Amino acid sequence: MTTNTLNTTDYYVEMLSALSNTEKLEVIAKLIESMKPKKKTKKITNLEMLKDFEGSWGGDLPVEEYVSSLRNSTPSKDVSW
């Protein structure tokens, strides 16, 4: 360890010394949790997300066709005022 690291560690220990034992344990638990590798989540596409709602719009239309009909009925984004 470098001197700088020791000084930083000493600073935090001194700063945390006023905490109760329960509070110190909470800090320790949060530090340990922050060191764990993050779980990778699968990126869900908008279409996959919409499939969860398939049929919720009151029909048996497949989500792909419903989305396509929405896209076709939406005005162009190139609208000038």
Side-chain angles (χ1 to χ4, degrees), residues 33 36-44:
E33 190 64 32
K36 292 180 181 177
K38 304 291 182 218
K39 293 181 181 177
K40 292 183 180 179
T41 56
K42 179 186 170 200
K43 184 169 179 153
I44 299 173

Side-chain angles (χ1 to χ4, degrees), residues 1-14:
M1 283 189 196
T2 64
T3 306
N4 190 26
T5 303
L6 289 175
N7 290 336
T8 304
T9 304
D10 290 340
Y11 168 78
Y12 283 109
V13 168
E14 181 64 30

Side-chain angles (χ1 to χ4, degrees), residues 9-21 23-24:
T9 304
D10 290 340
Y11 168 78
Y12 283 109
V13 168
E14 181 64 30
M15 184 176 67
L16 299 172
S17 66
L19 297 176
S20 70
N21 286 343
E23 292 168 324
K24 288 176 186 174

Side-chain angles (χ1 to χ4, degrees), residues 25-39:
L25 289 172
E26 288 177 19
V27 170
I28 291 168
K30 288 181 180 184
L31 285 170
I32 291 170
E33 190 64 32
S34 74
M35 294 170 61
K36 292 180 181 177
K38 304 291 182 218
K39 293 181 181 177

Side-chain angles (χ1 to χ4, degrees), residues 24 45 69:
K24 288 176 186 174
T45 66
S69 70

